[in-house]
Amino acid sequence: MELDESIPDPRVRLWSPVCQAVALLLGPYAEVVLHDAGRDRVLAIWNPMTRRAAGDPSLLGELDRLEPSAHDVYGPYEKLLADGRRLSSVSAVLRGPDGEPSAVLCVNLDRTPLDRAAALLAGFAAPTAPRPEALFEQDWTERVHQIVGGFVRTRGRPVERLGREDRLAVLAELDRAGVFTVRRAVPVVATALGASRSTVYALLAELKDRSDPR
């Protein structure tokens, strides 16, 4: 905390625990400043973000341009530091026993970590481009999953509830896609359909018989 030791001020002693609590909660990303409302001077600073120190001008005239968001509270409003950092600031007028403004408490929150996190999340949420068809043709196992998954969605029931005719139909689709020209395709198809290899071989034989124009 930066404090003007030359002028012991009862307002600093009064509000210091509150200011320190806010600074500890939000630090190191929040600067807490206690201002003299009458002299327009800084009384004390916790977690200073600039070279400003106790006794420097407060420059509280910016509050005159703002409408209070609550009784004696202004903000949050945006401020910009010389190094480009954006701040979210909120100010509260602290009144004395006579009801007159005694001090102003300001909390300046550095938005840099929040902006970076938002940009990171936005990057993850960005839509992905469709995968080129050529890659699907090269990755035949993914082609199997694509065809079986599409068939299941069309039928509206999971693979374990597909009947014999359903399985014959999906095998016909896989055959037209050239899947069974690949060695060891049957084990992959069997796993995708939740069936045994022997079942798939039997269904393929039946499919061949049906298509044989005798």
Side-chain angles (χ1 to χ4, degrees):
M1 177 187 71
E2 294 287 342
L3 178 63
D4 186 357
E5 299 289 354
S6 63
I7 308 177
D9 196 299
R11 291 169 295 181
V12 174
R13 292 195 298 270
L14 176 63
W15 296 106
S16 181
V18 175
C19 296
Q20 186 68 50
V22 175
L24 288 173
L25 177 65
L26 301 178
Y29 302 112
E31 174 188 69
V32 182
V33 188
L34 189 65
H35 301 275
D36 185 325
R39 296 170 55 222
D40 196 31
R41 296 285 174 178
V42 174
L43 288 172
I45 301 182
W46 292 258
N47 293 337
M49 292 183 179
T50 65
R51 294 181 181 274
R52 183 172 53 165
D56 287 347
S58 293
L59 304 177
L60 292 176
E62 63 187 19
L63 299 183
D64 296 335
R65 300 190 298 271
L66 301 175
E67 291 292 331
S69 53
H71 180 61
D72 283 342
V73 176
Y74 296 83
Y77 53 94
E78 185 175 287
K79 296 174 67 174
L80 193 65
L81 293 181
D83 59 9
R85 283 181 293 171
R86 291 196 308 141
L87 306 179
S88 287
S89 301
V90 65
S91 299
V93 177
L94 309 177
R95 298 183 181 274
D98 58 358
E100 292 299 315
S102 172
V104 176
L105 171 62
C106 294
V107 180
N108 302 311
L109 180 66
D110 184 359
R111 294 183 53 86
T112 303
L114 300 176
D115 291 340
R116 288 174 179 168
L120 179 64
L121 293 175
F124 278 117
T128 56
R131 189 175 180 183
E133 186 65 22
L135 294 181
F136 278 115
E137 293 175 355
Q138 294 173 9
D139 191 348
W140 65 271
T141 58
E142 191 162 348
R143 173 62 97 182
V144 170
H145 298 154
Q146 181 198 34
I147 292 175
V148 174
F151 188 90
V152 166
R153 286 192 297 273
T154 300
R155 288 297 193 273
R157 51 182 178 271
V159 290
E160 58 268 18
R161 293 183 56 193
L162 294 179
R164 188 178 190 81
E165 292 301 321
D166 291 327
R167 290 183 173 182
L168 286 169
V170 72
L171 287 177
E173 284 192 35
L174 291 167
D175 190 35
R176 287 192 293 271
V179 168
F180 294 109
T181 62
V182 181
R183 293 182 58 188
R184 299 186 59 80
V186 169
V188 174
V189 172
T191 300
L193 291 176
S196 65
R197 299 182 190 182
S198 59
T199 297
V200 172
Y201 279 120
L203 290 172
L204 285 173
E206 183 176 345
L207 189 63
K208 183 177 179 181
D209 289 340
R210 290 188 180 187
S211 60
D212 190 356
R214 296 177 181 175

